[in-house]
Amino acid sequence: MAQKVSLTRYLVEQQRVDGSIPAQLRLLLEVVARACKSISMAVNKGALGGVLGSAESENVQGEVQKKLDIISNEVLIEANEWGGHLAAMASEEMDSIHLVPSRYPQGEYLLLFDPLDGSSNIDVNVSIGTIFSVLKKPDDHPGVQEADFLQAGVKQVAAGYCVYGPSTTLVLTVGDGVAMFTLDREQGSFVLTQENVQIPADTKEFAINMSNMRHWDAPVKRYVDECLAGKDGPRGKDFNMRWIASMVADVHRILTRGGIFMYPWDKREPEKAGKLRLMYEANPMAWLVEQAGGAATNGKQRILDLQPTKLHERVAVFLGSKNEVERVTDYHNGA
Ligand code: P6P
């Protein structure tokens, strides 16, 4: 039987191959993986852990926080503070950035995360996940401020997610393709189960919250109507639809078998570019998808090229099978 390759071994060997994982970044990724393991244990306890339900508080997004949102955020903060690999962190669950306390050594990386995405699914036992993005701290000035985080997605040095589903799977890129690691609960370690992940350029599966159809812009409505018209329509083939309402789960399906995920701008809150957040949801997912041969735009332009202006800014997201993302983006640009 082939020898199991642990996450640690993969990172060490990747560093030997192309130097893309310096020691501090390797430590960072191993610490995040360990934190995801702890979150997985808490999530998997479900009702037995006494951690389901609302925390009776709201986050910066104005969303009701679940107890596990707060627990997951604390796990990631505590795991990453002391290692000397980070200068600061940013989270969907925190209004402003979190500086590494001065009692610990300061590192050269910035870590951003959505500690538990899709948390509305926790209480109904549907897959959820942690999303993370890693940037380099600018070295042209001392200290760290929020503006240091406002870097375009192309500046990421690592990105990934951990999906807490039937299996707990860590999905990671450092810019040399996408690898997947499945948690071996008997060993307590992540084991390489797939590398060089490739998204098929075409698909027959789209993901969007159809209940918002009346609020969409014309290009989105045209794209979805053509999918619904099936083989007798302009696309000449029937489509299937999936919507888990957990971005990590929907993106994992797309990385695994293709598809297109859409969360467009809509008329409900016209002042917002979209629902999803650029820095710690769209950017890491866009890089993973591109690294797997897919595409990711905001309907008009490549997500990774967008220059952020606010830490918690939102963005419209179209990502997945390249030919489908290009089609719906063309509809926006031609419309
Ligand atoms: P809706 C979860 O709250 C999330 O941020 C993403 O994980 C998911 O894709 C989306 O929102 C679901 O939104 O409006 O369908 O509930």
Side-chain angles (χ1 to χ4, degrees):
M1 184 175 85
Q3 204 178 30
K4 286 183 178 178
V5 175
S6 68
L7 174 65
T8 300
R9 177 174 167 184
Y10 175 85
L11 296 175
V12 167
E13 291 178 344
Q14 188 74 31
Q15 166 64 7
R16 276 193 210 125
V17 165
D18 60 13
S20 60
I21 311 182
Q24 264 199 29
L25 181 58
R26 177 155 65 83
L27 172 60
L28 187 163
L29 294 172
E30 289 185 309
V31 167
V32 168
R34 264 199 305 279
C36 290
K37 228 183 328 182
S38 302
I39 295 169
S40 173
M41 303 301 172
V43 165
N44 285 166
K45 281 188 183 139
L48 297 176
V51 292
L52 298 184
S54 167
E56 312 300 328
S57 56
E58 276 193 2
N59 63 17
V60 64
Q61 328 290 339
E63 294 166 340
V64 173
Q65 290 174 306
K66 299 285 190 181
K67 288 176 191 166
L68 272 171
D69 282 325
I70 295 174
I71 292 167
S72 304
N73 194 61
E74 287 166 357
V75 165
L76 281 158
I77 297 280
E78 287 159 19
N80 280 285
E81 275 190 329
W82 48 268
H85 52 283
L86 284 187
M89 295 174 246
S91 165
E92 181 192 65
E93 300 304 331
M94 299 188 298
D95 297 13
S96 50
I97 64 171
H98 177 89
L99 299 180
V100 168
S102 54
R103 65 181 179 276
Y104 297 123
Q106 308 292 300
E108 58 186 292
Y109 294 102
L110 304 175
L111 177 64
L112 303 95
F113 46 83
D114 180 354
L116 203 57
D117 180 72
S119 52
S120 59
N121 286 307
I122 295 172
D123 298 348
V124 295
N125 203 18
V126 169
S127 298
I128 49 185
T130 297
I131 309 172
F132 63 92
S133 171
V134 183
L135 297 166
K136 290 276 290 205
K137 181 182 86 69
D139 55 10
D140 56 354
H141 60 269
V144 191
Q145 55 259 2
E146 188 165 298
D148 293 327
F149 282 79
L150 302 183
Q151 301 177 40
V154 287
K155 298 285 192 182
Q156 294 176 100
V157 293
Y161 63 81
C162 192
V163 53
Y164 312 115
S167 72
T168 287
T169 303
L170 180 75
V171 180
L172 174 67
T173 186
V174 292
D176 185 22
V178 174
M180 295 188 175
F181 303 83
T182 302
L183 180 61
D184 178 342
R185 292 191 184 281
E186 288 157 15
Q187 302 296 322
S189 58
F190 281 102
V191 175
L192 180 67
T193 43
Q194 191 174 348
E195 52 186 329
N196 192 28
V197 173
Q198 290 298 313
I199 300 176
D202 295 300
T203 183
K204 293 181 179 178
E205 199 159 64
F206 69 93
I208 194 167
N209 184 336
M210 292 293 286
S211 70
N212 300 325
M213 181 180 269
R214 65 190 181 283
H215 305 302
W216 296 339
D217 230 354
V220 179
K221 196 149 182 345
R222 173 186 173 189
Y223 177 81
V224 174
D225 282 345
E226 290 178 351
C227 290
L228 295 175
K231 60 181 180 302
D232 302 329
R235 301 301 310 275
K237 60 183 180 180
D238 290 338
F239 280 76
N240 191 22
M241 194 213 92
R242 286 284 182 275
W243 187 248
I244 305 175
S246 176
M247 186 186 199
V248 173
D250 280 314
V251 170
H252 192 71
R253 183 190 58 255
I254 288 166
L255 279 170
T256 305
R257 69 184 192 210
I260 179 170
F261 171 96
M262 296 172 279
Y263 211 111
W265 169 92
D266 71 43
K267 302 183 180 76
R268 288 176 296 169
E269 294 181 285
E271 74 288 353
K272 288 181 180 174
K275 173 178 184 182
L276 302 176
R277 292 81 172 176
L278 174 61
M279 298 302 297
Y280 40 78
E281 288 176 334
N283 271 343
M285 293 308 204
W287 197 28
L288 284 164
V289 164
E290 285 198 5
Q291 282 288 309
T297 75
N298 65 354
K300 299 264 185 190
Q301 65 185 100
R302 188 181 179 223
I303 283 177
L304 293 181
D305 289 337
L306 297 174
Q307 177 54 48
T309 56
K310 290 187 300 224
L311 189 61
H312 298 291
E313 79 180 63
R314 296 170 188 264
V315 67
V317 177
F318 301 82
L319 62 77
S321 292
K322 192 175 178 63
N323 293 342
E324 293 303 317
V325 174
E326 286 178 356
R327 173 184 289 267
V328 70
T329 303
D330 287 348
Y331 289 177
H332 280 80
N333 290 327

